[in-house]
Amino acid sequence: MSATDAQYDLIVIGFGAAGLSAALTYAEATEGRETPARIAVLERATKEDRGGATRWTGAFLRINQDRELDTDWADHVGRVSGGLADVEYCRTVERETSRTLAFVEKHGVQIAFEDFPLPHTFDGGTPSMAAPASPRGGGASIVEHLGAALENDPRVEIRYETEALRLSTTEDGVVDGVLVRTADGRTQRLHGRSVVLACGGFEGNTEMLTRYVGDKACDLPLIAPGIANNRGDGLRMALELGADTAGQFDGIHAEPVDTRTQKADAVLYGFSTGIFVNGRLQRFFDEGRDTWDNTFEHVGYEIWKNQDQEAYWIADAKTLAIPGILNALLSDVPPEQADSLEELAGKLGIDAEGLEKTVAEFNAGVGPGEFDPTRLDGKSTVGLTPQKSNWAVPLDTAPFIGVPLTAAICFTYGGIRTDLDGRVVTPSGTAIPGLYAAGEATGLFYHAYPPATSVLRSLIFGRLAAHHAAAQHSA
């Protein structure tokens, strides 16, 4: 076969959760056909760095012990979006969760419930959900197990260091392939009966971030190196064909991360019992307005948007006494610890007088009530702006602890709109023949991301897209 006429039944662009799920599902759905299917999986990165964001994430799963999605999640997405989100999409995620987890477990991914770092977590609608689950080994386990299954299938060709440039169509608008650029800089046309866009959002593209998210987007570090390859290729190519969009295009999922390390995903989750201060040593956020899972991305966004990418988390011995709390800092560096606020300020490189003044004002504003870190305890401040709505206790007991923070981008909200089969649709809702999209390339969220579902929805809609394509190809 010449370099200009490679022929495939399915071309999948992306080697993360959505792409792997789509390629492997299609391979299984077409197994045993008289003419073996040919599948191409395109990955911008090298083999060593494959997997995009999936490779680096903890891949937390908002499920209970029965492998069922939090029953409140779909409604939760609808509430925080102000009715803008596609709730039927969310209900599809709920319906397909168990089957999809069985699929990845069949291929060697182990789902564990004891590995989540926090002593308490989601206040969701599933009473038995004491903590979300995650694959043993995080998202890297998904990449390696599903990737190995594809490598061992002679019908699958994995093309590393391959960049998707443009979709091709027949004269009547059916997507029939993609133009790619390979590692040597040359272009090649790949023909395919269907194409799945599963190449993430536009987190790694500063130009697109600035265009959609706004000023100072260049100041957002990436939460993990893998998302540098999320260049918005899927969105760009789909828009060229008149695809519709979904999700809030100036919205991002950003997280507060430790500035002392280069470790990927060094997020601070267990912040609710301390306080945040900015570079001017002023509090700027209600640390107790809700459980951490409903506020951590808002903290990250605020640090980036309004606090010049500089913040510090401060707590004391009462926080250290909470069982497992230090597991809530996913850094490889423990919090700074000191016997006085002055000493802590020195270790953090901030003004001691300013920190002591803010802590004294906070302590004076703490109201009555019993402190209970396992629930919304109503123990709040009085007369402070911003107030602290829960878990307000004086910071007055050594040792004091602190972590310097900035905000890192995890993924973008805006993306391609699809139907419930993963087909890319136009503004009228008409499906573009031969074109599918799944994962973070597709838009869903507005105003907030109810967490531990990004990898899950990627896996689910990768499978749905592949099933639909396989059925079309058998017709």
Side-chain angles (χ1 to χ4, degrees), residues 2-8 11 159 166-170 174-181 187-192:
S2 73
T4 58
D5 63 355
Q7 303 278 347
Y8 301 97
I11 300 171
R159 291 172 164 250
R166 187 170 65 250
L167 297 167
S168 61
T169 63
T170 62
V174 177
V175 171
D176 66 351
V178 59
L179 182 71
V180 302
R181 179 179 286 124
T187 59
Q188 180 183 1
R189 168 86 181 275
L190 307 182
H191 298 269

Side-chain angles (χ1 to χ4, degrees), residues 378-438:
K379 184 170 172 54
S380 63
T381 58
V382 178
L384 290 184
T385 302
Q387 75 168 51
K388 184 166 185 176
S389 301
N390 292 281
W391 308 301
V393 289
L395 305 181
D396 57 6
T397 307
F400 299 93
I401 58 174
V403 179
L405 301 166
T406 194
I409 187 170
C410 189
F411 60 79
T412 45
Y413 284 180
I416 304 162
R417 179 185 162 209
T418 68
D419 66 12
L420 301 185
D421 290 314
R423 297 182 296 175
V424 175
V425 298
T426 68
S428 68
T430 301
I432 298 175
L435 186 59
Y436 300 83

